Amino acid sequence: MRVLQKLFSLLVIAVVLLCGCDTKKVTDRRRIPVETFFRNPEESNFQLSPDGQKLLFLKRTDFRLNLFCRHLKTGLEYQLTNKKLNDIENFYWVNNQRIVYIDDIEGKQSCQLYTVRADGSHRVNLTPYADIRVYIIDGRVYNGNEMLVSFNQRGSNLFDVYRLNMETGVTKRVVENNGRITKWYADSKGDIRMALEVVNGQNRLLFRSNVTEEFQTLLTPKPEDKFVPLTFMPNDQRFYALSNRKRDKMALVAIHPSLPDSETVIFENANTDISEFNFGPRSHRLIDVAYRSSRLETWPVDSFSLKTDRYFRSRFPDKSFRILSTDSGDRRYIVKVFSDKLPGQFFLFDSKTDTLRQLSDINPDINPQQMAESRLIYIPASDGGVITAMLTMPQVLPNGPIPFVVYVNQTATYNIGTFDPLAQFLANRGYGVLQVYYRGINGFGKRYRATGFRDYASRSLEDVVESSEWLIESGFATKGGIAVYGAFFGGFAAMNAAIRRPDLYACTVSYAGFYNLLSYVEGVPEYFKPYQMMLFEMMGNPREDSLNMRQNSPYYQTSKIKKPVFIYHGMYDPRVSYRETNRMVGKIRKNKIEVEYMLVSNEGRGMKKEENRLEFYRKLEGFLARHLY
């Protein structure tokens, strides 16, 4: 087995070195500014009005993303919001003249719903309530000016459904939440006929034929299965779902409620989960399906999307693309074109005239020729399995090993084949980057996920360490010449890796990580309570596994941290209290270990504000330069 693993490693090395990596000594690497990689896009998130005559989009103004409307024929442009403290993120067309958008409250994980006309007039707060979270059910408009929304006015975990009139602001509650419903599904008439309920950590799908009936359990997936209902089909007789029931990979399926255990496969791929799909914004007609192999691949469903698919494949053969928006007549499309070296360009495609018009470049300062190439690789594991990873090497390589950052990534299905600003930033600074898609992650099938299920503090963490050892055995890096970096669960994993093998790593970076398994699974906010039993299954139940959970929690192992640490945390993070992170930092410093600590007072989970993002990556650059070179 070890001989086969060595041969496999040598093959990967040969492939990497033969694919465009110059082995000359680094002499003139262009140093691209931090801002180029991490500032907000100039223009993004384009949406066509139903008549195809106007564009709704986000535009960078004074470091914030604000909402704008542009007339395609005249070029006349209106600024619809003027946010100074936070970005606008979610928005929809109600009709050709009215827009609805969600406004997050300054880093505090609460938000409100507003409507405004396309010329910026008649702004109305539709949910003027304190401390609520608002979700738009499906983005469709019913009876000309009504939408279905869900918010938690009655209690933090009670997300009821309301029918909301966008013109008058009148809301009418149509369904009450029993505290266990995590998602609602409406048919084409706007009737709530399905709901996803979580009971004792187990999902079950509820269904009713019409609104006069009570909800009944339609199906309960097995714990090892993953089943995600999507939407009713246009005729309301069947519904779409992503499912790996009776198969290893997630497939797009159609199900009739009278035969819930019978799935008609719409599309599947033998090697990877189906992860993305497009539905018409008003009809909910399926447009296309996508999956990620070495890049994002699309499968068009009908003649409209097939024509667009063929056009873009011929025009951009080495790029991926996604349809982002259509008009109500399926004539005009907004399409994003991107790759691992190109952040993205937005185009307006007219399928009737076969004409293409570029709308925007997400980051015009990024030159794809100066970006590093990322390759999906497979690392043999000690248990006989295989660890999936993404390897990014600097364009110019010195002779011999280079400093490396092992990046614990929990979003594999979203960043494979796309531009990763962190990987490109690190490669530009001369670091190799190995993104480890540990077993337990979604995207690579049921067996891959199940290997780390209920074992997050063991097998998944071993994958991080073994991937780091592979770098050394393969000659890419040296022992002590590696930094380990992770976000969220990745921060937990990175800290654990540094504790288990301090000889491997020069330093550790944790971005919004957690460090105590016990408090993490017990201290969930009220609106997350339905998922708590799922966390017990994945990470351990404190009533049964407390000893093992303590042994695998960095908070109780700080004496084993021997190398410098950089920790970022948002003060309004609802999942991990900054006070607990403060205690973690204090315990490490008590042992005379260097800790760079960035606690930000106006952020929640993660980091949304551009100025904070730029400060973090400048600090990261300095931290790595001090400890990894």
Side-chain angles (χ1 to χ4, degrees):
M1 177 62 71
R2 298 297 296 178
V3 173
L4 289 176
Q5 290 179 351
K6 188 66 175 178
L7 289 173
F8 185 91
S9 298
L10 291 172
L11 178 61
V12 172
I13 296 167
V15 169
V16 171
L17 293 178
L18 287 172
C19 293
C21 292
D22 188 347
T23 58
K24 295 178 182 178
K25 183 75 174 177
V26 177
T27 56
D28 187 27
R29 185 194 306 119
R30 182 189 169 196
R31 203 172 186 82
I32 300 173
V34 171
E35 293 81 0
T36 300
F37 291 104
F38 299 109
R39 68 170 180 252
N40 283 330
E42 296 302 322
E43 295 180 349
S44 62
N45 295 37
F46 290 88
Q47 289 186 23
L48 274 168
S49 60
D51 62 7
Q53 299 301 309
K54 292 187 283 292
L55 289 173
L56 197 59
F57 62 100
L58 296 178
K59 186 173 183 178
R60 182 175 180 261
T61 58
D62 298 324
F63 303 102
R64 296 290 177 259
L65 292 176
N66 274 291
L67 193 57
F68 283 73
C69 179
R70 180 186 301 156
H71 289 252
L72 282 168
K73 187 174 182 179
T74 66
L76 187 64
E77 190 170 287
Y78 295 96
Q79 182 171 348
L80 307 184
T81 66
N82 188 27
K83 302 301 296 181
K84 301 294 185 182
L85 298 178
N86 55 282
D87 298 333
I88 297 296
E89 296 182 40
N90 300 306
F91 50 91
Y92 300 85
W93 285 101
V94 176
N95 51 46
N96 292 319
Q97 300 301 327
R98 184 168 289 280
I99 294 106
V100 63
Y101 66 92
I102 293 176
D103 186 8
D104 288 340
I105 307 300
E106 175 70 356
K108 297 182 180 180
Q109 310 298 308
S110 60
C111 53
Q112 293 177 331
L113 187 70
Y114 285 81
T115 182
V116 65
R117 290 189 178 173
D119 62 1
S121 65
H122 295 82
R123 185 187 324 278
V124 178
N125 184 350
L126 298 169
T127 55
Y129 315 114
D131 300 323
I132 65 165
R133 297 170 65 87
V134 183
Y135 300 97
I136 294 177
I137 298 294
D138 57 18
R140 285 189 284 189
V141 179
Y142 305 96
N143 302 324
N145 58 12
E146 293 180 342
M147 297 184 80
L148 292 172
V149 301
S150 178
F151 57 88
N152 55 343
Q153 186 182 13
R154 289 192 303 122
S156 59
N157 66 328
L158 299 175
F159 286 87
D160 301 328
V161 180
Y162 298 82
R163 190 177 288 268
L164 199 159
N165 188 300
M166 297 293 133
E167 294 289 341
T168 65
V170 174
T171 60
K172 178 184 178 182
R173 185 188 296 127
V174 293
V175 186
E176 283 195 359
N177 196 323
N178 60 15
R180 300 188 300 269
I181 304 298
T182 59
K183 191 168 178 62
W184 302 97
Y185 300 88
D187 63 15
S188 62
K189 298 184 292 295
D191 292 335
I192 299 294
R193 291 178 48 210
M194 285 199 309
L196 197 62
E197 184 179 43
V198 180
V199 179
N200 295 325
Q202 181 66 42
N203 277 324
R204 63 184 184 186
L205 184 62
L206 308 182
F207 173 82
R208 60 183 179 180
S209 297
N210 58 69
V211 295
T212 64
E213 297 180 355
E214 295 294 323
F215 282 107
Q216 303 294 329
T217 300
L218 184 68
L219 60 88
T220 302
K222 296 177 181 178
E224 64 270 20
D225 292 338
K226 193 170 177 63
F227 181 84
V228 184
L230 299 177
T231 185
F232 279 97
M233 298 176 74
N235 61 10
D236 292 332
Q237 298 301 306
R238 298 191 294 170
F239 63 91
Y240 290 112
L242 291 176
S243 171
N244 63 10
R245 297 190 300 170
K246 302 178 183 179
R247 65 183 67 84
D248 182 60
K249 303 299 189 295
M250 294 283 281
L252 179 68
V253 302
I255 297 174
H256 195 288
S258 64
L259 297 168
D261 292 325
S262 177
E263 299 179 344
T264 301
V265 176
I266 306 298
F267 187 78
E268 62 182 334
N269 182 271
N271 300 315
T272 187
D273 290 341
I274 302 302
S275 58
E276 299 179 42
F277 39 83
N278 264 327
F279 294 106
R282 293 156 194 92
S283 66
H284 274 214
R285 173 183 60 83
L286 181 63
I287 296 174
D288 62 20
V289 182
Y291 62 93
R292 294 178 186 264
S293 51
S294 58
R295 70 182 209 179
L296 185 134
E297 303 285 354
T298 57
W299 178 70
V301 172
D302 59 19
S303 58
F304 296 104
S305 54
L306 178 61
K307 183 175 183 179
T308 305
D309 185 88
R310 286 174 174 170
Y311 183 93
F312 278 85
R313 284 185 189 275
S314 63
R315 188 75 178 264
F316 304 97
D318 60 338
K319 304 291 191 301
S320 296
F321 56 89
R322 291 296 281 135
I323 296 173
L324 301 183
S325 179
T326 70
D327 62 16
S328 58
D330 284 314
R331 171 177 173 172
R332 290 181 164 182
Y333 294 80
I334 301 292
V335 181
K336 179 183 177 182
V337 176
F338 58 93
S339 74
D340 61 334
K341 296 183 178 182
L342 177 69
Q345 298 170 328
F346 296 98
F347 293 90
L348 175 65
F349 175 62
D350 191 315
S351 63
K352 184 175 181 180
T353 61
D354 276 356
T355 54
L356 193 67
R357 170 181 167 186
Q358 184 168 345
L359 299 173
S360 175
D361 194 322
I362 288 180
N363 192 336
D365 292 334
I366 291 290
N367 180 354
Q369 294 183 346
Q370 295 177 338
M371 297 297 105
E373 186 171 0
S374 296
R375 291 187 170 274
L376 205 59
I377 65 169
Y378 305 94
I379 299 171
S382 61
D383 64 356
V386 175
I387 306 164
T388 306
M390 184 73 75
L391 182 66
T392 304
M393 300 291 282
Q395 279 198 331
V396 181
L397 291 173
N399 295 318
I402 62 173
F404 248 87
V405 176
V406 169
Y407 174 17
V408 188
N409 197 318
Q410 63 182 27
T411 56
T413 52
Y414 299 101
N415 79 334
I416 291 175
T418 62
F419 185 85
D420 188 321
L422 175 58
Q424 293 292 349
F425 167 65
L426 293 172
N428 179 257
R429 296 305 190 259
Y431 302 112
V433 182
L434 184 71
Q435 299 186 56
V436 180
Y437 305 130
Y438 53 87
R439 284 170 291 176
I441 200 173
N442 292 318
F444 301 106
K446 185 189 302 184
R447 287 189 294 272
Y448 197 89
R449 179 172 177 262
T451 304
F453 200 69
R454 180 88 181 195
D455 206 9
Y456 258 44
S458 183
R459 183 65 258 171
S460 300
L461 302 180
E462 285 300 320
D463 284 357
V464 178
V465 172
E466 291 184 13
S467 298
S468 304
E469 292 174 329
W470 177 86
L471 284 173
I472 297 167
E473 293 170 1
S474 303
F476 285 110
T478 59
K479 185 178 289 189
I482 302 172
V484 58
Y485 173 105
F488 311 112
F489 170 77
F492 167 82
M495 203 71 77
N496 254 298
I499 288 170
R500 293 176 179 223
R501 290 295 303 277
D503 58 315
L504 285 181
Y505 304 106
C507 55
T508 304
V509 182
S510 174
Y511 173 101
F514 60 91
Y515 313 104
N516 186 343
L517 282 172
L518 295 165
S519 62
Y520 185 73
V521 300
E522 288 183 321
V524 298
E526 281 299 316
Y527 63 82
F528 203 80
K529 285 289 186 182
Y531 296 104
Q532 189 171 42
M533 289 299 295
M534 290 184 180
L535 288 179
F536 289 166
E537 288 298 315
M538 295 170 66
M539 298 182 174
N541 188 327
R543 289 184 289 275
E544 301 170 1
D545 310 314
S546 60
L547 180 60
N548 184 57
M549 293 173 77
R550 285 176 66 94
Q551 290 174 342
N552 289 293
S553 294
Y555 184 80
Y556 298 105
Q557 309 292 326
T558 53
S559 63
K560 298 178 182 178
I561 297 173
K562 304 297 183 183
K563 303 291 178 61
V565 175
F566 179 22
I567 292 176
Y568 163 81
H569 199 84
M571 190 171 287
Y572 288 106
D573 187 334
R575 289 294 290 111
V576 182
S577 168
Y578 74 92
R579 294 182 179 86
E580 183 164 291
T581 303
N582 286 348
R583 290 192 290 271
M584 178 71 179
V585 169
K587 291 183 69 174
I588 300 172
R589 284 175 173 166
K590 187 176 180 180
N591 296 326
K592 309 301 182 183
I593 301 298
E594 176 190 338
V595 181
E596 182 157 350
Y597 185 28
M598 182 177 171
L599 178 64
V600 180
S601 62
N602 60 353
E603 294 281 8
R605 189 81 171 142
M607 194 185 316
K608 293 185 177 182
K609 293 176 174 55
E610 179 178 312
E611 65 273 19
N612 294 333
R613 196 160 58 243
L614 297 180
E615 181 184 0
F616 171 78
Y617 287 110
R618 290 190 189 105
K619 288 179 179 291
L620 175 65
E621 180 178 14
F623 180 79
L624 294 177
R626 291 196 304 275
H627 300 295
L628 197 50
Y629 267 114

